[in-house]
Amino acid sequence: MNSQPLGGSSLASSRLAYGCMRIAGTMDRSQLTSEREATGRRAVLAAYEAGYTHFDHADIYGNGLCEEIFGRVLREVPGMRDRVLVATKCGIRWKGDPDASAPHRWDFSREHIVRSCEASLRRLGLERIDLYMLHRPDYLADPQEIAAAFSDLKWQGKVREFGVSNFRPSYLSMIRAACPMPLVVNQVEMHLARLDCLEDGTLDQCLEDGITPVSWSPLAGGVLGDGGRPDPNDPRADGLRALLGVLDAMAKRLGVSRTVLSLAWLLKH
C-alpha cells in the first residue's frame, strides 16, 4: 500500500487507515468474550497483513478495551510495533467519570489530557504514542492549558506528534497559535455523502498550512460501500438513494466496486 507523510512530520502513514473503534465488539467490559476479542484480533491482523500501517484509536473506543486488545496484538506479533503508526485520541468523558455526580462532557484541561494519554499508554503497552489527537471541540477549553499538556507529553517523550479531530478551521487556528509544536492532522468526517469540508474551509486550511486531512467513516458508516443502503428513517434517504444509483452505474461502467469508487473519490481530495 502507498504511504504518505503526515503534515510536515517524520510520521509516514498508509494512504488507508484502519479504524479500531469496533474491535472489542462491545462498550461494556463485562461483555468482552474470548470470541469477541478473537474477532477483533483477526481484523487487526488482516489489516496489518494487507499493508495498513496507520491504526486509529480513541480512549473511549470500547471504554478502553480496543486499545487493550490492540496492545496485546502488538506484543505478540514480532516486529509489528516498528512498522505501524499508533494514533489515539482524548477529550470525551463519560457520565460518572471521575465520580457519580460528574456529567458526560468534553474536557481539554491540562490534567485530563495528560492523565488520558498516560492511561492510553498503559492500555496499549507502549512507551510513546505516535499521533495524539484532541477528539472533539471542548467549548470551555483554554488554549494555553492544551499547549501546556502537549508540551508536558512531548518533553516527557510520551507523544511524537499531535493533531485534532472534528475541528472547524477557526478552532484549529486558535489551538495551533497557542501550541509550540505543529498540529499535523485534522481528522474529520468526509465522504461523498458529507461534503462540508469542501465548503467550510477545512480542506483549504489543510492545504495552506500543511496539515493532513484524515477522513473518519469514509464510507458513511457502510452506506457507500458494496451493498450499503440508507436508513429509511434518515431524512436524507432519498438523496442517498439517488447518489448510490449514480455510484453503481459509474462503478459498473468502470468495472470496479462501489467501495473502490467511493474511496478513489476521497483519496483524490
Side-chain angles (χ1 to χ4, degrees), residues 16-248:
L16 299 179
Y18 189 81
C20 296
M21 186 174 74
R22 294 183 173 88
I23 63 171
T26 180
M27 294 288 287
D28 186 340
R29 186 169 292 272
S30 68
Q31 294 181 6
L32 179 64
T33 63
S34 57
E35 291 78 13
R36 280 180 166 158
E37 176 163 352
T39 298
R41 291 161 66 93
R42 285 195 299 270
V44 168
L45 287 170
Y48 176 62
E49 291 168 0
Y52 287 77
T53 63
H54 186 154
F55 289 86
D56 179 74
H57 290 269
D59 55 0
I60 64 166
Y61 292 171
N63 273 331
L65 288 171
C66 297
E67 289 179 331
E68 290 181 17
I69 291 170
F70 187 81
R72 289 194 280 272
V73 175
L74 274 185
R75 289 190 290 275
E76 293 172 11
V77 179
M80 183 176 177
R81 176 64 187 104
D82 295 331
R83 299 187 182 99
V84 299
L85 185 161
V86 180
T88 194
K89 300 179 284 292
C90 75
I92 301 177
R93 300 183 71 161
W94 298 122
K95 181 179 180 180
D97 175 17
D99 56 65
S101 64
H104 173 46
R105 78 266 195 213
W106 279 250
D107 186 352
F108 286 173
S109 66
R110 179 179 186 175
E111 178 186 15
H112 182 68
I113 292 171
V114 171
R115 185 173 63 245
S116 295
C117 180
E118 291 171 345
S120 287
L121 286 168
R122 287 193 296 271
R123 288 190 293 266
L124 289 162
L126 299 177
E127 294 183 355
R128 184 168 64 171
I129 291 167
D130 297 312
L131 176 63
Y132 200 52
M133 294 171 281
L134 300 176
H135 204 161
R136 288 181 181 271
D138 169 15
Y139 297 128
L140 296 175
D142 178 344
Q144 297 303 324
E145 282 212 27
I146 293 171
F150 283 5
S151 296
D152 289 344
L153 296 171
K154 184 76 169 180
W155 178 78
Q156 293 167 11
K158 294 175 180 177
V159 174
R160 290 179 66 183
E161 302 288 349
F162 297 88
V164 296
S165 181
N166 302 294
F167 276 30
R168 64 183 184 275
S170 59
Y171 198 104
L172 193 158
S173 293
M174 175 184 70
I175 303 303
R176 189 164 53 97
C179 290
M181 69 285 292
L183 301 176
V184 301
V185 304
N186 188 6
Q187 184 186 70
V188 291
E189 184 181 9
M190 181 181 175
H191 45 70
L192 276 163
R194 182 69 178 263
L195 305 178
D196 303 50
C197 292
L198 296 169
E199 303 291 341
D200 65 8
T202 296
L203 294 188
D204 301 338
Q205 181 184 53
C206 287
L207 283 169
E208 181 178 12
D209 296 335
I211 298 167
T212 300
V214 179
S215 169
W216 62 265
S217 196
L219 296 174
V223 173
L224 299 176
D226 301 334
R229 296 183 181 85
D231 182 340
N233 296 317
D234 189 329
R236 306 173 301 154
D238 289 343
L240 288 171
R241 279 191 285 268
L243 170 62
L244 295 180
V246 172
L247 277 173
D248 287 338

Side-chain angles (χ1 to χ4, degrees), residues 247-261:
L247 277 173
D248 287 338
M250 186 176 293
K252 183 177 180 180
R253 186 170 76 248
L254 295 173
V256 298
S257 68
R258 186 201 292 173
T259 296
V260 167
L261 185 60

